[in-house]
Amino acid sequence: MKQEQFVSRYQPEWQALEAWLEQRAHLGRRRRARAPVDPALPVDAEFPQRYRRLCQQLALARQRGYSPQLVEHLQQLMQRGHTLLYRTPAFRWRGVLEFLLADFPQLVRSQATVMWVALALFAVPLVGSFVAVQLRPDLVHLLMDNARLAQVERMYDPSSPNLGRDSGTDWMMFGYYIMNNISIGLRTFASGLLAGVGTVLVLLFNGITIGTVAGHLQHVGHGDPFWRFVVGHGAFELTAIVIAGGAGLQLGLRLVAPGRKRRLDALVEGGRIGARLCLGIAAMLLVAAFIEAFWSSIASVPAWGKYSVAAVLWTLVLLWLWRGGRGGAHAD
């Protein structure tokens, strides 16, 4: 095929592709997906196929020894397409906000049964161990040794300038809380692979531990600084642990009772749901770590200030999980 015939046959494709690339570049500069789009140009879904055809045409032009000007033009067009096709997708804050504000609470509500079970497995041992330590203070020694008890009492000493920690700057503790909280959340979820038994044990252990510590501090007269410390960030942290527990339970349930699905397919579905839940859990624990590091540890704030802020935070979290995404599409 002569060059003139080659150009005549494929030039409309090149022109359409070049115009489409110009349009995409214009949209990128404006950062708006709502800009006017020419309906005569190729749709986005056609771009990979058109790019492959361009690469084939460039190879033919080189093989047949067509003019350097034509080869250079196709080469430049191909490079522009390659840059667009294989570039890292732009980070979109709008998608992140839509997931956190709507999709995540919808997903939590779609797993309501396991979430309520997780709440019971966490809250009942917490309250029970707290009451038990009030009635039998020596029970705390079954869970904690004397050195650990002394450290906890020192952290919540009413005379301490910081609540909930012995030392460390706010930023250092912020990093520590992130690592610690997220590791607990991921462990609670991932242990669901042990047929859900692992998640049950993690929830029970965390509930008993928190309840025992709270009960002991209340008994020795350190209850006020303890409650002032935990009541704020607990809205995000404790709720996130329960959600992580629900995510792990649904994973274990799909492993034990896959229903009519193949066990592997059910497990993959549970893992997909759990992974999306873990994204929201990580965000909640990040917020909890920030509050814990920069607000909860301030001993100078009076109790009424801490409890007022905590009431607002708990109300926002519960409203978000209850109402977030209502009226939108149901999350898978």
Side-chain angles (χ1 to χ4, degrees), residues 314-328:
W314 278 99
T315 300
L316 288 176
V317 169
L318 295 178
L319 282 176
W320 167 52
L321 294 175
W322 177 44
R323 300 297 302 174
R326 294 222 182 245

Side-chain angles (χ1 to χ4, degrees), residues 156-174:
Y156 297 101
D157 190 326
S159 62
S160 174
N162 290 312
L163 298 178
R165 65 194 196 211
D166 291 326
S167 61
T169 65
D170 290 345
W171 283 105
M172 184 180 75
M173 296 308 297
F174 178 48

Side-chain angles (χ1 to χ4, degrees), residues 185-202 244-257 263-275 278:
L186 292 179
R187 185 163 60 247
T188 304
F189 164 64
S191 56
L193 286 171
L194 301 175
V197 176
T199 296
V200 171
L201 294 178
V202 171
L249 289 177
Q250 64 87 26
L251 187 64
L253 186 62
R254 282 175 166 78
L255 182 63
V256 174
R263 197 177 304 276
L264 179 60
D265 293 338
L267 190 60
V268 168
E269 181 184 17
R272 180 171 58 84
I273 293 173
C278 282

Side-chain angles (χ1 to χ4, degrees), residues 32-99:
R32 293 179 180 272
R34 297 178 181 176
V37 177
D38 187 349
L41 297 181
V43 297
D44 293 358
E46 296 177 359
F47 173 63
Q49 180 183 359
R50 288 176 174 267
Y51 174 76
R52 288 192 295 269
R53 284 177 56 83
L54 175 66
C55 291
Q56 295 170 354
Q57 293 157 6
L58 174 60
L60 285 174
R62 287 172 173 169
Q63 181 183 3
R64 295 171 180 174
Y66 292 155
S67 68
Q69 292 82 1
L70 176 61
V71 173
E72 177 66 20
H73 175 68
L74 296 179
Q75 175 71 28
Q76 291 179 358
L77 194 58
M78 185 273 292
Q79 288 176 343
R80 290 176 61 189
H82 182 276
T83 300
L84 180 64
L85 186 61
Y86 294 102
R87 70 180 179 182
T88 303
F91 186 77
R92 298 193 303 175
W93 282 107
R94 181 177 179 180
V96 173
L97 291 176
E98 286 179 353
F99 171 76

Side-chain angles (χ1 to χ4, degrees), residues 217-240:
L217 292 172
Q218 185 70 34
H219 176 73
V220 300
H222 293 185
D224 176 65
F226 172 76
W227 295 118
R228 284 192 291 127
F229 176 75
V230 302
V231 72
H233 65 267
F236 288 91
E237 183 176 331
L238 300 183
T239 307

